[in-house]
Amino acid sequence: MQLRNKDILGIKDLDRDEIELILDTAESLKWVSNRDIKKVPTLRGKTIINLFFEASTRTRTSFEIAGKRMSADVINISASSSSAVKGETLIDTAKNLQAMSPDIIVVRHGSSGAPQIISGAVKASVINAGDGCHEHPSQSLLDLLTIRQVKGQIEGLRIAIIGDIKHSRVARSNIYALTKMGAQVVVAGFPTLLPPEIEKMGASIRKTLDEAIIDADVIMMLRIQKERMTGPYFPTEREYSMLFGLNAKRLKSAKSDVTIMHPGPVNRGVEISPEVADGPYSVILEQVANGVAIRMALLYLLSGRKHEESRKEARDENNN
Amino acid sequence: MQLRNKDILGIKDLDRDEIELILDTAESLKWVSNRDIKKVPTLRGKTIINLFFEASTRTRTSFEIAGKRMSADVINISASSSSAVKGETLIDTAKNLQAMSPDIIVVRHGSSGAPQIISGAVKASVINAGDGCHEHPSQSLLDLLTIRQVKGQIEGLRIAIIGDIKHSRVARSNIYALTKMGAQVVVAGFPTLLPPEIEKMGASIRKTLDEAIIDADVIMMLRIQKERMTGPYFPTEREYSMLFGLNAKRLKSAKSDVTIMHPGPVNRGVEISPEVADGPYSVILEQVANGVAIRMALLYLLSGRKHEESRKEARDENNN
Amino acid sequence: MQLRNKDILGIKDLDRDEIELILDTAESLKWVSNRDIKKVPTLRGKTIINLFFEASTRTRTSFEIAGKRMSADVINISASSSSAVKGETLIDTAKNLQAMSPDIIVVRHGSSGAPQIISGAVKASVINAGDGCHEHPSQSLLDLLTIRQVKGQIEGLRIAIIGDIKHSRVARSNIYALTKMGAQVVVAGFPTLLPPEIEKMGASIRKTLDEAIIDADVIMMLRIQKERMTGPYFPTEREYSMLFGLNAKRLKSAKSDVTIMHPGPVNRGVEISPEVADGPYSVILEQVANGVAIRMALLYLLSGRKHEESRKEARDENNN
């Protein structure tokens, strides 16, 4: 089985079979990062461009490591050094990069829809690595992989997403993904940070953090994204934390086998307390590790490779 | 046949045989970028340093992809993170890099002559990737390759170069290159942007855009380089565009098989209108694709490889 | 023989046997950079992260080249594009990187002790590439290698370190290293730039440059690090230079076979005059060349490879 589209622009475009294909492939390829020699020749001779209009150490590094562990050539372009400052349009930038024959372009951009615009202008596959307040599909897929590893399955689970839903592309991608996989999603957050369309996406709204987490199998805390806020959405960080920050005391009302997730970087003491972030329920670092595996799977599948071969390729001694 | 010098500092230093050698080698190596596995082991174990004192996504990316597709190790250094800010001289920077045994140093610098200064201080080959208002030889070579592919030959053609000649290292390199190859060059532009020495270089001046393009086989539009202008050279962009911008209406007075070129990034609506930039006469994106091939050829030839082997190496299945 | 610790945080933690192991390994591996094909497959499949919170062309490039020449995957992260700006703690940054399974993290940071904090948070090996005014072990090791190559041995030599001792992590690492190797260290500099604890570290203080260099086998000039100074430590550069700058006239009072070193980047005409920096006694560029070899040795040994194999691996034709 292969992916239907040439791009990964959002979870909205993927069906459940495709999501499971990506998760299964990631599980095969994850093995590569656990070995002494973390390299397979799978994508040798492929050119991957990381085109980042917004800075992001974590996501860029994750894609770069994923590409290099499969022997691809990875080229990093950051917006500050880009033609953008010389007045070139986004489509011109995309067409110019296409003329250099890349196989995959990974795009992060502050404006929703930018990866789609680029996709329309190029023959290469485009992966959306986060666009404005729209989608961040690889983050959502790594969240699914983490949930599946911890809970065994995703179907039937109840997931609470807490915090700044409005500015969170992670929340948006996860609501699409989790409902497609048969989970129930509830959200809670400051009223100013809960856009009305959220219920149309399949999530139900609860008024308080306590009501949202009481029957949750998984709690996803969102990062307060000050860098994306254009005005005051809540009085103070302290007040935000008192109402929607997760700490050990509050966690007592949750299920005894609850799993705590956070897409990072964590604002310690604001949306989540250090003892919860570092505590026994937290899988925050497993999420990061799964991020490399998911990105390897996306690069692998978009290069036309078949999942059926991934397990063999990852383990084949002769590949080294 | 091999190149005579260790460096590519400018077209001025190349003779016609060498230019043809580079174009022929680029045509052989271009094949690599059109394959599924875009990689040959030709420059394995060579160290290429991209030393960019000016930001340039396009040129840096083109050299980086060219190097990596031939399996070289490519190291990017940008001025903002360089020792320049700590007060080191250009020659000290060069000698320090040389001590790390690079094979080729690709230099872009805002001051004319900087690559030559570096060349004198190092044993490595130096490629000028644009220095001040002086030369940009790899851009000119990719222009020649594009013209040769479209027109079959360069000799005898009439080429019009339009716009900001004064600040354009591309114009300077192309006037040298095209006259060496037996083409006739005419230039036109705002009087303040036409330096008097241009006629000594072998180009003839025409007063208006219409006079320059009427009998041209190729029209090269130059980018208005606001970032290099130290004062007002023309009243407004609108006025510039009215006098020296190329649009569909004006193009009617050109030959029916005219070819339109632009070194990019394009200021759409200023020096060239979108319908011309994207129209049937435009080869702007072919120029970019040929850029990778030309840079592969330069890296290849400066590493002491022979053109005669390039076609075989590029096609050899066993190379993968 | 192997290194005792998983990290290289400072010379203070290394014993003499380990220092000699590193120098011997560097001498074996140096051979790689002198060949036509500067690459061995030794660290294939290893992931090295250059995590630089302070810009440093020279050191970052040296580690990057060292890693790539041994076929490791090298990932560069600079602080300006890092999660630090999003408010993540240093430990969170470290743990997140660890989750991506790097083998070695090379850290430069403006605060003393930062690499140690990172080391405690990760399973990967950490190399301190300079932390605040604390240590810069790889610089010191390359200095030792250079002295050993020029003088045959280090034991019994007299080394004068001149200049801004207070802000120099290079001075601190070298005082530890040279005394461990059996050399005698004397220091001189503006009184405001000589911290009182320097004598406890094993160095003796001389009042003037002339007194310090008169019987020195090696003179190490330090860089005036304006970027680290928080107040005025001396009246003017001119006055500094008159008292503690090394020039040809002053050098006449030194030994006839004296060796002049400087960690770079050089402030020409301040701490050292051009004719001395470029003169016959200077080994400044040998230091840079040895820097790549030392970093190769550190990456090699921290990857669990044995020194005994390094000479064979570096020379083995079949490795290519």
Side-chain angles (χ1 to χ4, degrees), chain C residues 244-276:
Chain C
F244 290 98
L246 188 64
N247 57 34
K249 193 179 158 202
R250 272 199 168 132
L251 200 53
K252 285 183 190 160
S253 66
K255 282 187 168 184
S256 63
D257 65 341
V258 72
T259 296
I260 311 289
M261 303 177 77
H262 189 295
V266 169
N267 294 307
R268 289 176 169 261
V270 184
E271 70 264 5
I272 192 166
S273 72
E275 83 269 18
V276 174

mmCIF file of all heavy atoms in Angstrom, chain C residues 244-276:
data_model
loop_
_atom_site.group_PDB
_atom_site.id
_atom_site.type_symbol
_atom_site.label_atom_id
_atom_site.label_comp_id
_atom_site.label_asym_id
_atom_site.label_seq_id
_atom_site.Cartn_x
_atom_site.Cartn_y
_atom_site.Cartn_z
ATOM 1 N N PHE C 244 51.432 44.947 26.738
ATOM 2 C CA PHE C 244 51.330 43.489 26.634
ATOM 3 C C PHE C 244 51.143 42.972 25.211
ATOM 4 O O PHE C 244 50.768 41.816 25.019
ATOM 5 C CB PHE C 244 50.220 42.962 27.568
ATOM 6 C CG PHE C 244 50.596 43.077 29.011
ATOM 7 C CD1 PHE C 244 50.152 44.141 29.787
ATOM 8 C CD2 PHE C 244 51.446 42.143 29.592
ATOM 9 C CE1 PHE C 244 50.530 44.265 31.117
ATOM 10 C CE2 PHE C 244 51.826 42.259 30.912
ATOM 11 C CZ PHE C 244 51.377 43.320 31.683
ATOM 12 N N GLY C 245 51.380 43.806 24.244
ATOM 13 C CA GLY C 245 51.350 43.350 22.858
ATOM 14 C C GLY C 245 52.726 42.810 22.466
ATOM 15 O O GLY C 245 53.758 43.378 22.859
ATOM 16 N N LEU C 246 52.740 41.728 21.687
ATOM 17 C CA LEU C 246 54.026 41.145 21.271
ATOM 18 C C LEU C 246 54.381 41.660 19.881
ATOM 19 O O LEU C 246 53.585 41.534 18.948
ATOM 20 C CB LEU C 246 53.918 39.615 21.262
ATOM 21 C CG LEU C 246 55.236 38.848 21.036
ATOM 22 C CD1 LEU C 246 56.214 39.091 22.169
ATOM 23 C CD2 LEU C 246 54.948 37.356 20.882
ATOM 24 N N ASN C 247 55.579 42.247 19.759
ATOM 25 C CA ASN C 247 56.030 42.688 18.440
ATOM 26 C C ASN C 247 57.480 42.243 18.218
ATOM 27 O O ASN C 247 58.108 41.642 19.110
ATOM 28 C CB ASN C 247 55.875 44.208 18.308
ATOM 29 C CG ASN C 247 56.628 44.951 19.408
ATOM 30 O OD1 ASN C 247 57.683 44.496 19.850
ATOM 31 N ND2 ASN C 247 56.072 46.067 19.851
ATOM 32 N N ALA C 248 57.986 42.514 17.038
ATOM 33 C CA ALA C 248 59.307 41.992 16.657
ATOM 34 C C ALA C 248 60.403 42.510 17.580
ATOM 35 O O ALA C 248 61.333 41.765 17.938
ATOM 36 C CB ALA C 248 59.605 42.373 15.208
ATOM 37 N N LYS C 249 60.302 43.755 17.984
ATOM 38 C CA LYS C 249 61.341 44.335 18.841
ATOM 39 C C LYS C 249 61.412 43.600 20.178
ATOM 40 O O LYS C 249 62.489 43.226 20.645
ATOM 41 C CB LYS C 249 61.007 45.814 19.058
ATOM 42 C CG LYS C 249 62.154 46.610 19.671
ATOM 43 C CD LYS C 249 61.773 48.074 19.830
ATOM 44 C CE LYS C 249 62.649 48.751 20.891
ATOM 45 N NZ LYS C 249 61.996 49.951 21.429
ATOM 46 N N ARG C 250 60.248 43.395 20.754
ATOM 47 C CA ARG C 250 60.209 42.718 22.044
ATOM 48 C C ARG C 250 60.648 41.270 21.955
ATOM 49 O O ARG C 250 61.204 40.700 22.894
ATOM 50 C CB ARG C 250 58.779 42.718 22.559
ATOM 51 C CG ARG C 250 58.537 43.959 23.327
ATOM 52 C CD ARG C 250 57.349 43.755 24.192
ATOM 53 N NE ARG C 250 57.278 44.823 25.132
ATOM 54 C CZ ARG C 250 56.172 45.511 25.375
ATOM 55 N NH1 ARG C 250 55.073 45.211 24.730
ATOM 56 N NH2 ARG C 250 56.177 46.458 26.254
ATOM 57 N N LEU C 251 60.347 40.674 20.807
ATOM 58 C CA LEU C 251 60.653 39.259 20.632
ATOM 59 C C LEU C 251 62.166 39.012 20.679
ATOM 60 O O LEU C 251 62.610 37.886 20.936
ATOM 61 C CB LEU C 251 60.059 38.787 19.299
ATOM 62 C CG LEU C 251 59.845 37.290 19.114
ATOM 63 C CD1 LEU C 251 59.033 36.693 20.252
ATOM 64 C CD2 LEU C 251 59.142 37.031 17.777
ATOM 65 N N LYS C 252 62.947 40.061 20.452
ATOM 66 C CA LYS C 252 64.411 39.905 20.485
ATOM 67 C C LYS C 252 64.910 39.411 21.836
ATOM 68 O O LYS C 252 65.946 38.769 21.924
ATOM 69 C CB LYS C 252 65.083 41.237 20.138
ATOM 70 C CG LYS C 252 64.991 41.547 18.645
ATOM 71 C CD LYS C 252 65.711 42.833 18.301
ATOM 72 C CE LYS C 252 65.407 43.242 16.864
ATOM 73 N NZ LYS C 252 65.667 44.661 16.632
ATOM 74 N N SER C 253 64.172 39.722 22.908
ATOM 75 C CA SER C 253 64.625 39.276 24.230
ATOM 76 C C SER C 253 64.245 37.820 24.508
ATOM 77 O O SER C 253 64.607 37.272 25.541
ATOM 78 C CB SER C 253 64.049 40.187 25.324
ATOM 79 O OG SER C 253 62.651 40.050 25.369
ATOM 80 N N ALA C 254 63.494 37.181 23.573
ATOM 81 C CA ALA C 254 63.076 35.788 23.785
ATOM 82 C C ALA C 254 64.163 34.832 23.296
ATOM 83 O O ALA C 254 65.143 35.244 22.662
ATOM 84 C CB ALA C 254 61.765 35.524 23.059
ATOM 85 N N LYS C 255 63.968 33.563 23.585
ATOM 86 C CA LYS C 255 64.905 32.533 23.122
ATOM 87 C C LYS C 255 64.948 32.483 21.597
ATOM 88 O O LYS C 255 63.950 32.799 20.934
ATOM 89 C CB LYS C 255 64.441 31.159 23.639
ATOM 90 C CG LYS C 255 64.766 30.887 25.094
ATOM 91 C CD LYS C 255 64.402 29.419 25.399
ATOM 92 C CE LYS C 255 64.948 28.961 26.731
ATOM 93 N NZ LYS C 255 64.662 27.518 26.942
ATOM 94 N N SER C 256 66.051 32.015 21.063
ATOM 95 C CA SER C 256 66.204 32.022 19.604
ATOM 96 C C SER C 256 65.330 30.959 18.929
ATOM 97 O O SER C 256 65.071 31.024 17.735
ATOM 98 C CB SER C 256 67.667 31.802 19.232
ATOM 99 O OG SER C 256 68.068 30.523 19.684
ATOM 100 N N ASP C 257 64.916 29.954 19.682
ATOM 101 C CA ASP C 257 64.050 28.918 19.086
ATOM 102 C C ASP C 257 62.642 28.964 19.695
ATOM 103 O O ASP C 257 61.940 27.951 19.758
ATOM 104 C CB ASP C 257 64.657 27.537 19.294
ATOM 105 C CG ASP C 257 64.711 27.146 20.765
ATOM 106 O OD1 ASP C 257 64.615 28.071 21.629
ATOM 107 O OD2 ASP C 257 64.852 25.952 21.062
ATOM 108 N N VAL C 258 62.228 30.164 20.108
ATOM 109 C CA VAL C 258 60.912 30.293 20.737
ATOM 110 C C VAL C 258 59.790 29.978 19.726
ATOM 111 O O VAL C 258 59.973 30.163 18.509
ATOM 112 C CB VAL C 258 60.736 31.717 21.326
ATOM 113 C CG1 VAL C 258 60.568 32.742 20.208
ATOM 114 C CG2 VAL C 258 59.552 31.772 22.295
ATOM 115 N N THR C 259 58.678 29.484 20.236
ATOM 116 C CA THR C 259 57.510 29.212 19.395
ATOM 117 C C THR C 259 56.372 30.124 19.841
ATOM 118 O O THR C 259 56.115 30.248 21.043
ATOM 119 C CB THR C 259 57.082 27.738 19.548
ATOM 120 O OG1 THR C 259 58.140 26.915 19.054
ATOM 121 C CG2 THR C 259 55.803 27.445 18.777
ATOM 122 N N ILE C 260 55.710 30.775 18.851
ATOM 123 C CA ILE C 260 54.632 31.729 19.155
ATOM 124 C C ILE C 260 53.289 31.106 18.786
ATOM 125 O O ILE C 260 53.094 30.660 17.652
ATOM 126 C CB ILE C 260 54.783 33.033 18.344
ATOM 127 C CG1 ILE C 260 56.206 33.583 18.429
ATOM 128 C CG2 ILE C 260 53.738 34.060 18.776
ATOM 129 C CD1 ILE C 260 56.571 34.151 19.756
ATOM 130 N N MET C 261 52.341 31.135 19.735
ATOM 131 C CA MET C 261 51.011 30.573 19.481
ATOM 132 C C MET C 261 49.927 31.608 19.773
ATOM 133 O O MET C 261 50.151 32.562 20.530
ATOM 134 C CB MET C 261 50.799 29.343 20.353
ATOM 135 C CG MET C 261 51.863 28.281 20.144
ATOM 136 S SD MET C 261 51.686 26.831 21.246
ATOM 137 C CE MET C 261 50.352 25.965 20.431
ATOM 138 N N HIS C 262 48.776 31.411 19.184
ATOM 139 C CA HIS C 262 47.611 32.294 19.413
ATOM 140 C C HIS C 262 46.371 31.468 19.049
ATOM 141 O O HIS C 262 46.359 30.829 17.997
ATOM 142 C CB HIS C 262 47.708 33.542 18.531
ATOM 143 C CG HIS C 262 46.679 34.595 18.844
ATOM 144 N ND1 HIS C 262 45.334 34.400 18.656
ATOM 145 C CD2 HIS C 262 46.803 35.852 19.348
ATOM 146 C CE1 HIS C 262 44.683 35.497 19.028
ATOM 147 N NE2 HIS C 262 45.547 36.393 19.456
ATOM 148 N N PRO C 263 45.338 31.481 19.907
ATOM 149 C CA PRO C 263 44.171 30.635 19.608
ATOM 150 C C PRO C 263 43.266 31.193 18.520
ATOM 151 O O PRO C 263 42.374 30.478 18.050
ATOM 152 C CB PRO C 263 43.433 30.597 20.952
ATOM 153 C CG PRO C 263 43.815 31.878 21.634
ATOM 154 C CD PRO C 263 45.220 32.176 21.200
ATOM 155 N N GLY C 264 43.495 32.459 18.122
ATOM 156 C CA GLY C 264 42.654 33.062 17.088
ATOM 157 C C GLY C 264 41.255 33.329 17.591
ATOM 158 O O GLY C 264 40.854 32.770 18.608
ATOM 159 N N PRO C 265 40.461 34.157 16.920
ATOM 160 C CA PRO C 265 40.925 35.045 15.849
ATOM 161 C C PRO C 265 41.842 36.144 16.398
ATOM 162 O O PRO C 265 41.634 36.635 17.498
ATOM 163 C CB PRO C 265 39.630 35.667 15.313
ATOM 164 C CG PRO C 265 38.497 34.913 15.935
ATOM 165 C CD PRO C 265 39.019 34.285 17.171
ATOM 166 N N VAL C 266 42.851 36.483 15.604
ATOM 167 C CA VAL C 266 43.878 37.446 15.997
ATOM 168 C C VAL C 266 43.356 38.883 15.857
ATOM 169 O O VAL C 266 42.749 39.233 14.856
ATOM 170 C CB VAL C 266 45.119 37.250 15.092
ATOM 171 C CG1 VAL C 266 46.101 38.387 15.278
ATOM 172 C CG2 VAL C 266 45.772 35.902 15.370
ATOM 173 N N ASN C 267 43.575 39.693 16.903
ATOM 174 C CA ASN C 267 43.410 41.143 16.770
ATOM 175 C C ASN C 267 44.766 41.714 16.377
ATOM 176 O O ASN C 267 45.583 42.060 17.234
ATOM 177 C CB ASN C 267 42.990 41.776 18.109
ATOM 178 C CG ASN C 267 41.616 41.346 18.567
ATOM 179 O OD1 ASN C 267 40.647 41.447 17.842
ATOM 180 N ND2 ASN C 267 41.539 40.867 19.804
ATOM 181 N N ARG C 268 45.024 41.809 15.094
ATOM 182 C CA ARG C 268 46.336 42.255 14.614
ATOM 183 C C ARG C 268 46.641 43.664 15.124
ATOM 184 O O ARG C 268 45.814 44.557 15.016
ATOM 185 C CB ARG C 268 46.364 42.253 13.091
ATOM 186 C CG ARG C 268 46.362 40.842 12.547
ATOM 187 C CD ARG C 268 46.295 40.778 11.040
ATOM 188 N NE ARG C 268 46.557 39.395 10.650
ATOM 189 C CZ ARG C 268 47.742 38.968 10.235
ATOM 190 N NH1 ARG C 268 48.742 39.816 10.088
ATOM 191 N NH2 ARG C 268 47.915 37.696 9.947
ATOM 192 N N GLY C 269 47.834 43.841 15.645
ATOM 193 C CA GLY C 269 48.235 45.163 16.128
ATOM 194 C C GLY C 269 47.794 45.446 17.544
ATOM 195 O O GLY C 269 48.161 46.468 18.107
ATOM 196 N N VAL C 270 46.993 44.580 18.138
ATOM 197 C CA VAL C 270 46.630 44.762 19.541
ATOM 198 C C VAL C 270 47.486 43.819 20.393
ATOM 199 O O VAL C 270 48.539 44.229 20.877
ATOM 200 C CB VAL C 270 45.114 44.562 19.788
ATOM 201 C CG1 VAL C 270 44.778 44.870 21.243
ATOM 202 C CG2 VAL C 270 44.299 45.440 18.852
ATOM 203 N N GLU C 271 47.084 42.559 20.484
ATOM 204 C CA GLU C 271 47.878 41.662 21.334
ATOM 205 C C GLU C 271 49.102 41.097 20.604
ATOM 206 O O GLU C 271 50.023 40.575 21.228
ATOM 207 C CB GLU C 271 47.020 40.527 21.911
ATOM 208 C CG GLU C 271 46.556 39.484 20.918
ATOM 209 C CD GLU C 271 45.152 39.761 20.411
ATOM 210 O OE1 GLU C 271 44.580 40.808 20.766
ATOM 211 O OE2 GLU C 271 44.627 38.932 19.640
ATOM 212 N N ILE C 272 49.101 41.163 19.291
ATOM 213 C CA ILE C 272 50.236 40.631 18.529
ATOM 214 C C ILE C 272 50.383 41.447 17.246
ATOM 215 O O ILE C 272 49.385 41.836 16.642
ATOM 216 C CB ILE C 272 50.032 39.116 18.232
ATOM 217 C CG1 ILE C 272 51.309 38.461 17.705
ATOM 218 C CG2 ILE C 272 48.879 38.882 17.291
ATOM 219 C CD1 ILE C 272 51.251 36.933 17.716
ATOM 220 N N SER C 273 51.626 41.712 16.871
ATOM 221 C CA SER C 273 51.839 42.511 15.657
ATOM 222 C C SER C 273 51.805 41.583 14.447
ATOM 223 O O SER C 273 52.130 40.391 14.560
ATOM 224 C CB SER C 273 53.174 43.234 15.727
ATOM 225 O OG SER C 273 54.226 42.309 15.567
ATOM 226 N N PRO C 274 51.431 42.108 13.289
ATOM 227 C CA PRO C 274 51.365 41.264 12.089
ATOM 228 C C PRO C 274 52.682 40.551 11.794
ATOM 229 O O PRO C 274 52.682 39.378 11.438
ATOM 230 C CB PRO C 274 50.990 42.248 10.978
ATOM 231 C CG PRO C 274 50.244 43.331 11.680
ATOM 232 C CD PRO C 274 50.904 43.469 13.032
ATOM 233 N N GLU C 275 53.827 41.238 11.960
ATOM 234 C CA GLU C 275 55.092 40.574 11.580
ATOM 235 C C GLU C 275 55.427 39.409 12.503
ATOM 236 O O GLU C 275 56.109 38.468 12.088
ATOM 237 C CB GLU C 275 56.259 41.580 11.473
ATOM 238 C CG GLU C 275 56.948 41.953 12.769
ATOM 239 C CD GLU C 275 56.308 43.187 13.411
ATOM 240 O OE1 GLU C 275 55.153 43.511 13.038
ATOM 241 O OE2 GLU C 275 56.921 43.810 14.280
ATOM 242 N N VAL C 276 54.901 39.421 13.720
ATOM 243 C CA VAL C 276 55.105 38.263 14.607
ATOM 244 C C VAL C 276 54.075 37.161 14.297
ATOM 245 O O VAL C 276 54.419 35.983 14.211
ATOM 246 C CB VAL C 276 55.032 38.682 16.093
ATOM 247 C CG1 VAL C 276 55.090 37.457 17.005
ATOM 248 C CG2 VAL C 276 56.159 39.646 16.419
#
